[in-house]
Amino acid sequence: MRTREVAVITPVMPTYARVDLVFARGEGPYLFTEDGDRYLDFGCGIAVTSLGHAHPHLVAALQDQAGLLWHTSNLYRISGQERLAERLVASTFADTVFFGNSGAEAMECAIKMARRYHYHNDHPERFRTITFGGAFHGRTLATIAAGGQAKHLEGFGPAADGFDQVPLHDSNDLRAAITGETAAILIEPVQGEGGIVPVDPQFLKAIRAAADEFGLLVIYDEIQTGVGRTGKLFAHEWAGVAPDIMGVAKALGGGMPIGACLATEKAAVGMVAGTHGSTFGGNPLSTAVGNAVLDVMLADGFMDGVEKKARRLVAEIESVISLHSGVYDHVRGLGMMQGIKCAAPVGDVLAGMARHHVLAVPAGDNVMRFLPPLIIEDEQIDEAVAALDAVGSELSS
Ligand SMILES: *Cc1c(COP(=O)(O)O)cnc(C)c1O
């Protein structure tokens, strides 16, 4: 061992304010600690384990692939990657897909692609992306600049150039922000980290119209909303307005790290060999599981079932939060992505839920996020809502 000053810092770099719980295994909607304590997982590792823990079809896909081949790099064709791309293309507006390993990387690809599109079309001066107040697009240097949140930018030097932020839901501000340097407009169909703020479908239409009028590309960040979370495969299907480029990650691998940037042929025109890359992106392991996730989600009736269960969840939440107006204010969201705007501090509410063995996730604007697995049954909805009721009583007394 090397000699050194005694370190106070933890071996794991302390960039997270973690809850003091360690889980040893998971089964469907439940997590178990090493001591065998059971928790209902209404956070899904932030909208990732959308098919629950240890889903037999996903486990089998991973185990089968693990014995065959893990990684070859993108120097070679990868059959699982080609299959996943074909299925995403068949299920969406997109013609082509780039694979990375995370949400931020999917958004980096989206932003680069929009710039490259205009470069290819002899407008290299068009490189700026318009984003919206309350946005979150990741933690890389470009994506913190895109998100524009002071708390994410502070201390990391000048924000990367090329991003202009306007308030959400104001078409006049949006149109006024478009200049001869604008390349694209980037939006989450439901803001996640910002506090579960569903974007008005009319505003998505206004974005599409402005983009078409000025020759800009529309980019959706569906990293949190995508892959079934809202009761459709992608949230923008509710509004019926398609983007040119879309970032996807979180639930796509059900817990295997994978991200994807989907695009139309037109938008991807500049992305020729050598323009972008990722060593791990779309490797045989992650795409085997991505394909297994789609096997389940694309099955007949799966999404309809999610939508039905989500309606029940919202109705039950509404009936309970109205009883505790000093603790809860209202619920908002889309499908299985629901935010409970709290009147009490959200940290106290989350701690209360954890005491009742229900895990949820905080978001901006004093909101508690419910992101349950899409496979939950009525019984688990009742269980979470009973905890919500109990915490409401406890915090108001
Ligand atoms: C989580 C998230 C990201 C970033 O994804 P990472 O995998 O953490 O890089 C980007 N955009 C949205 C909307 C997200 O929810």
Side-chain angles (χ1 to χ4, degrees), residues 1 12 31-32 47 60 98 109 146 303 313 336 359 361 367 373 377-378 390:
M1 277 244 289
V12 175
L31 282 167
F32 298 84
F98 176 87
C109 179
M303 281 305 154
L313 172 69
M336 290 288 195
L359 305 170
V361 184
V367 163
E377 305 287 346
D378 293 348

Side-chain angles (χ1 to χ4, degrees), residues 286-299:
S286 66
T287 51
V289 184
N291 274 306
V293 167
L294 288 192
D295 290 342
V296 177
M297 292 209 190
L298 295 178

Side-chain angles (χ1 to χ4, degrees), residues 46-369:
I46 321 187
V48 169
T49 52
S50 286
L51 296 177
H53 299 283
H55 189 292
H57 185 64
L58 274 56
V59 171
L62 182 61
Q63 284 176 338
D64 289 350
Q65 188 61 46
L68 288 173
L69 182 66
W70 292 17
H71 180 87
T72 57
S73 89
N74 287 295
L75 289 169
Y76 311 102
R77 289 176 53 198
I78 298 170
S79 60
Q81 184 184 129
E82 290 176 3
R83 177 150 183 267
L84 185 56
E86 283 160 13
R87 296 171 87 190
L88 288 170
V89 163
S91 313
T92 67
F93 70 95
D95 302 309
T96 188
V97 186
F98 176 87
F99 291 101
N101 316 286
S102 68
E105 281 173 276
M107 295 321 300
E108 287 274 344
C109 179
I111 295 160
K112 286 179 73 176
M113 195 188 312
R115 294 181 181 194
R116 186 83 187 176
Y117 165 84
H118 292 286
Y119 169 87
H120 180 90
N121 290 316
D122 295 325
H123 284 291
E125 77 285 0
R126 288 185 162 203
F127 71 99
R128 307 192 70 84
T129 299
I130 295 176
T131 67
F132 297 91
F136 179 78
H137 300 297
R139 295 297 202 105
T140 62
L141 285 169
T143 55
I144 57 175
Q149 302 221 26
K151 66 179 182 207
H152 294 152
L153 287 160
E154 188 186 349
F156 295 114
D161 193 16
F163 299 95
D164 302 301
Q165 196 160 83
V166 297
L168 188 64
H169 288 145
D170 189 324
S171 317
N172 292 331
D173 277 337
L174 167 64
R175 295 174 71 88
I178 296 170
T179 72
E181 292 188 343
T182 307
I185 305 170
L186 162 59
I187 191 161
E188 299 156 78
V190 181
Q191 288 188 343
E193 305 305 305
I196 310 296
V197 182
V199 175
D200 184 345
Q202 292 308 320
F203 191 62
L204 291 181
K205 288 186 179 131
I207 288 173
R208 182 74 264 178
D212 292 346
E213 183 179 337
F214 293 99
L216 316 177
L217 297 176
V218 173
I219 307 172
Y220 287 161
D221 180 343
E222 287 235 29
I223 285 157
Q224 191 162 153
T225 53
V227 199
R229 177 51 51 194
T230 68
K232 301 245 184 238
L233 194 58
F234 292 102
H236 71 268
E237 294 169 30
W238 287 108
V241 196
D244 304 291
I245 304 174
M246 177 169 77
V248 178
K250 292 195 165 88
L252 183 58
M256 273 301 278
I258 184 169
C261 183
L262 284 62
T264 61
E265 182 168 24
K266 174 188 149 184
V269 65
M271 303 304 281
V272 297
T275 52
H276 197 47
S278 164
T279 299
F280 294 130
N283 84 4
L285 270 189
S286 66
T287 51
V289 184
N291 274 306
V293 167
L294 288 192
D295 290 342
V296 177
M297 292 209 190
L298 295 178
D300 260 0
F302 182 82
M303 281 305 154
D304 292 341
V306 172
E307 204 192 317
K308 217 167 105 204
K309 275 180 282 188
R311 275 202 298 271
R312 180 188 167 110
L313 172 69
V314 175
E316 286 203 23
I317 293 172
E318 272 170 350
S319 71
V320 155
I321 61 178
S322 59
L323 306 174
H324 308 287
S325 56
V327 180
Y328 307 119
D329 192 76
H330 67 272
V331 61
R332 63 194 186 211
L334 198 57
M336 290 288 195
M337 184 177 186
Q338 294 295 330
I340 298 162
K341 164 89 176 168
C342 296
V346 66
D348 296 353
V349 175
L350 284 164
M353 294 296 286
R355 278 197 302 278
H356 288 273
H357 286 210
V358 177
L359 305 170
V361 184
D365 195 32
N366 207 45
V367 163
M368 173 167 69
R369 260 184 283 188

